[in-house]
Amino acid sequence: LFRSDRTALHSAACMGYASVVLFLLEKEADPKAQDLTKTHPLHLACKFGHAGSAEILLQHKANPNVADDQGHVAINDAVAKDRFDIVTKLLEHGALVNVRNMAGLEAISFSRTPQMQSIIMKNDINF
């Protein structure tokens, strides 16, 4: 039997069902719920490029700087997907760009365009 400990909120965030994400949060779902790999709903919303779900989670106090079991934070996925909208929302909610994952990579390591590198550098305390 496969066990992941994912919640309904994880699933809704992963699929980008923003209205379901909002409904679940209004019914007291935990935006800080984690599965067996310490993945939070916000990680999934960002990984799959769902800006609406990500924004709702952030408005309901999801932590933008929480890392999964690999030290990976949500902004890394948003940067890798070149999603300026999601990166901007994460930054507005206090996301840090210089959190190193277990491979030693920070957000800028995932950027593919000069525009994204510029946004990351503007928000990096080391630049």
Side-chain angles (χ1 to χ4, degrees), residues 89-103:
K89 283 290 167 205
L90 287 164
L91 291 169
E92 286 171 3
H93 283 86
L96 302 171
V97 298
N98 50 358
V99 176
R100 290 187 186 275
N101 67 15
M102 288 176 81

PDB file of all heavy atoms in Angstrom, residues 89-103:
ATOM      1  N   LYS A  89       4.678  37.204  -6.459  1.00  0.00           N
ATOM      2  CA  LYS A  89       3.803  36.966  -5.294  1.00  0.00           C
ATOM      3  C   LYS A  89       4.589  36.359  -4.133  1.00  0.00           C
ATOM      4  O   LYS A  89       4.406  36.752  -2.982  1.00  0.00           O
ATOM      5  CB  LYS A  89       2.642  36.038  -5.651  1.00  0.00           C
ATOM      6  CG  LYS A  89       1.546  36.696  -6.421  1.00  0.00           C
ATOM      7  CD  LYS A  89       0.795  37.670  -5.542  1.00  0.00           C
ATOM      8  CE  LYS A  89      -0.088  38.566  -6.369  1.00  0.00           C
ATOM      9  NZ  LYS A  89      -0.370  39.848  -5.734  1.00  0.00           N
ATOM     10  N   LEU A  90       5.453  35.395  -4.437  1.00  0.00           N
ATOM     11  CA  LEU A  90       6.266  34.790  -3.380  1.00  0.00           C
ATOM     12  C   LEU A  90       7.155  35.838  -2.714  1.00  0.00           C
ATOM     13  O   LEU A  90       7.251  35.880  -1.480  1.00  0.00           O
ATOM     14  CB  LEU A  90       7.113  33.651  -3.958  1.00  0.00           C
ATOM     15  CG  LEU A  90       6.351  32.376  -4.322  1.00  0.00           C
ATOM     16  CD1 LEU A  90       7.197  31.490  -5.217  1.00  0.00           C
ATOM     17  CD2 LEU A  90       5.907  31.625  -3.073  1.00  0.00           C
ATOM     18  N   LEU A  91       7.775  36.688  -3.525  1.00  0.00           N
ATOM     19  CA  LEU A  91       8.640  37.740  -2.972  1.00  0.00           C
ATOM     20  C   LEU A  91       7.838  38.715  -2.117  1.00  0.00           C
ATOM     21  O   LEU A  91       8.286  39.135  -1.057  1.00  0.00           O
ATOM     22  CB  LEU A  91       9.379  38.468  -4.097  1.00  0.00           C
ATOM     23  CG  LEU A  91      10.447  37.635  -4.817  1.00  0.00           C
ATOM     24  CD1 LEU A  91      10.914  38.354  -6.072  1.00  0.00           C
ATOM     25  CD2 LEU A  91      11.609  37.315  -3.896  1.00  0.00           C
ATOM     26  N   GLU A  92       6.631  39.068  -2.576  1.00  0.00           N
ATOM     27  CA  GLU A  92       5.755  39.975  -1.807  1.00  0.00           C
ATOM     28  C   GLU A  92       5.413  39.383  -0.446  1.00  0.00           C
ATOM     29  O   GLU A  92       5.154  40.115   0.510  1.00  0.00           O
ATOM     30  CB  GLU A  92       4.457  40.263  -2.569  1.00  0.00           C
ATOM     31  CG  GLU A  92       4.627  41.197  -3.745  1.00  0.00           C
ATOM     32  CD  GLU A  92       3.369  41.294  -4.612  1.00  0.00           C
ATOM     33  OE1 GLU A  92       2.326  40.681  -4.268  1.00  0.00           O
ATOM     34  OE2 GLU A  92       3.437  41.972  -5.645  1.00  0.00           O
ATOM     35  N   HIS A  93       5.392  38.059  -0.362  1.00  0.00           N
ATOM     36  CA  HIS A  93       5.056  37.393   0.891  1.00  0.00           C
ATOM     37  C   HIS A  93       6.300  36.931   1.656  1.00  0.00           C
ATOM     38  O   HIS A  93       6.229  36.062   2.512  1.00  0.00           O
ATOM     39  CB  HIS A  93       4.107  36.214   0.625  1.00  0.00           C
ATOM     40  CG  HIS A  93       2.710  36.664   0.363  1.00  0.00           C
ATOM     41  ND1 HIS A  93       2.258  37.031  -0.894  1.00  0.00           N
ATOM     42  CD2 HIS A  93       1.657  36.835   1.199  1.00  0.00           C
ATOM     43  CE1 HIS A  93       1.000  37.392  -0.812  1.00  0.00           C
ATOM     44  NE2 HIS A  93       0.612  37.288   0.436  1.00  0.00           N
ATOM     45  N   GLY A  94       7.448  37.506   1.317  1.00  0.00           N
ATOM     46  CA  GLY A  94       8.654  37.285   2.112  1.00  0.00           C
ATOM     47  C   GLY A  94       9.531  36.113   1.705  1.00  0.00           C
ATOM     48  O   GLY A  94      10.393  35.691   2.487  1.00  0.00           O
ATOM     49  N   ALA A  95       9.341  35.590   0.498  1.00  0.00           N
ATOM     50  CA  ALA A  95      10.190  34.481   0.054  1.00  0.00           C
ATOM     51  C   ALA A  95      11.645  34.943  -0.031  1.00  0.00           C
ATOM     52  O   ALA A  95      11.929  36.045  -0.498  1.00  0.00           O
ATOM     53  CB  ALA A  95       9.726  33.958  -1.304  1.00  0.00           C
ATOM     54  N   LEU A  96      12.533  34.096   0.421  1.00  0.00           N
ATOM     55  CA  LEU A  96      13.959  34.368   0.340  1.00  0.00           C
ATOM     56  C   LEU A  96      14.518  33.674  -0.896  1.00  0.00           C
ATOM     57  O   LEU A  96      14.143  32.542  -1.193  1.00  0.00           O
ATOM     58  CB  LEU A  96      14.676  33.839   1.591  1.00  0.00           C
ATOM     59  CG  LEU A  96      14.175  34.405   2.918  1.00  0.00           C
ATOM     60  CD1 LEU A  96      14.788  33.657   4.091  1.00  0.00           C
ATOM     61  CD2 LEU A  96      14.474  35.894   3.004  1.00  0.00           C
ATOM     62  N   VAL A  97      15.420  34.350  -1.606  1.00  0.00           N
ATOM     63  CA  VAL A  97      15.967  33.770  -2.840  1.00  0.00           C
ATOM     64  C   VAL A  97      17.301  33.062  -2.626  1.00  0.00           C
ATOM     65  O   VAL A  97      17.816  32.438  -3.536  1.00  0.00           O
ATOM     66  CB  VAL A  97      16.126  34.838  -3.954  1.00  0.00           C
ATOM     67  CG1 VAL A  97      14.778  35.423  -4.318  1.00  0.00           C
ATOM     68  CG2 VAL A  97      17.114  35.919  -3.545  1.00  0.00           C
ATOM     69  N   ASN A  98      17.841  33.139  -1.409  1.00  0.00           N
ATOM     70  CA  ASN A  98      19.158  32.543  -1.197  1.00  0.00           C
ATOM     71  C   ASN A  98      19.128  31.355  -0.240  1.00  0.00           C
ATOM     72  O   ASN A  98      20.095  31.072   0.440  1.00  0.00           O
ATOM     73  CB  ASN A  98      20.161  33.602  -0.737  1.00  0.00           C
ATOM     74  CG  ASN A  98      19.647  34.414   0.413  1.00  0.00           C
ATOM     75  OD1 ASN A  98      18.520  34.224   0.851  1.00  0.00           O
ATOM     76  ND2 ASN A  98      20.451  35.323   0.902  1.00  0.00           N
ATOM     77  N   VAL A  99      18.009  30.641  -0.229  1.00  0.00           N
ATOM     78  CA  VAL A  99      17.921  29.405   0.549  1.00  0.00           C
ATOM     79  C   VAL A  99      18.551  28.297  -0.291  1.00  0.00           C
ATOM     80  O   VAL A  99      18.138  28.063  -1.423  1.00  0.00           O
ATOM     81  CB  VAL A  99      16.446  29.055   0.867  1.00  0.00           C
ATOM     82  CG1 VAL A  99      16.354  27.716   1.584  1.00  0.00           C
ATOM     83  CG2 VAL A  99      15.791  30.158   1.688  1.00  0.00           C
ATOM     84  N   ARG A 100      19.559  27.648   0.239  1.00  0.00           N
ATOM     85  CA  ARG A 100      20.246  26.572  -0.506  1.00  0.00           C
ATOM     86  C   ARG A 100      19.551  25.234  -0.253  1.00  0.00           C
ATOM     87  O   ARG A 100      19.293  24.885   0.884  1.00  0.00           O
ATOM     88  CB  ARG A 100      21.704  26.455  -0.076  1.00  0.00           C
ATOM     89  CG  ARG A 100      22.562  27.618  -0.514  1.00  0.00           C
ATOM     90  CD  ARG A 100      24.038  27.357  -0.194  1.00  0.00           C
ATOM     91  NE  ARG A 100      24.833  28.524  -0.482  1.00  0.00           N
ATOM     92  CZ  ARG A 100      25.330  28.812  -1.687  1.00  0.00           C
ATOM     93  NH1 ARG A 100      25.110  28.002  -2.697  1.00  0.00           N
ATOM     94  NH2 ARG A 100      26.062  29.894  -1.866  1.00  0.00           N
ATOM     95  N   ASN A 101      19.307  24.507  -1.355  1.00  0.00           N
ATOM     96  CA  ASN A 101      18.762  23.157  -1.180  1.00  0.00           C
ATOM     97  C   ASN A 101      19.913  22.194  -0.878  1.00  0.00           C
ATOM     98  O   ASN A 101      21.064  22.605  -0.773  1.00  0.00           O
ATOM     99  CB  ASN A 101      17.922  22.730  -2.393  1.00  0.00           C
ATOM    100  CG  ASN A 101      18.724  22.547  -3.661  1.00  0.00           C
ATOM    101  OD1 ASN A 101      19.951  22.465  -3.650  1.00  0.00           O
ATOM    102  ND2 ASN A 101      18.022  22.475  -4.779  1.00  0.00           N
ATOM    103  N   MET A 102      19.624  20.916  -0.756  1.00  0.00           N
ATOM    104  CA  MET A 102      20.669  19.951  -0.379  1.00  0.00           C
ATOM    105  C   MET A 102      21.758  19.824  -1.436  1.00  0.00           C
ATOM    106  O   MET A 102      22.871  19.394  -1.141  1.00  0.00           O
ATOM    107  CB  MET A 102      20.047  18.591  -0.069  1.00  0.00           C
ATOM    108  CG  MET A 102      19.289  18.618   1.260  1.00  0.00           C
ATOM    109  SD  MET A 102      18.443  17.080   1.627  1.00  0.00           S
ATOM    110  CE  MET A 102      19.795  16.108   2.278  1.00  0.00           C
ATOM    111  N   ALA A 103      21.446  20.212  -2.666  1.00  0.00           N
ATOM    112  CA  ALA A 103      22.449  20.190  -3.735  1.00  0.00           C
ATOM    113  C   ALA A 103      23.260  21.487  -3.758  1.00  0.00           C
ATOM    114  O   ALA A 103      24.133  21.668  -4.601  1.00  0.00           O
ATOM    115  CB  ALA A 103      21.775  19.966  -5.086  1.00  0.00           C
TER     116      ALA A 103
END
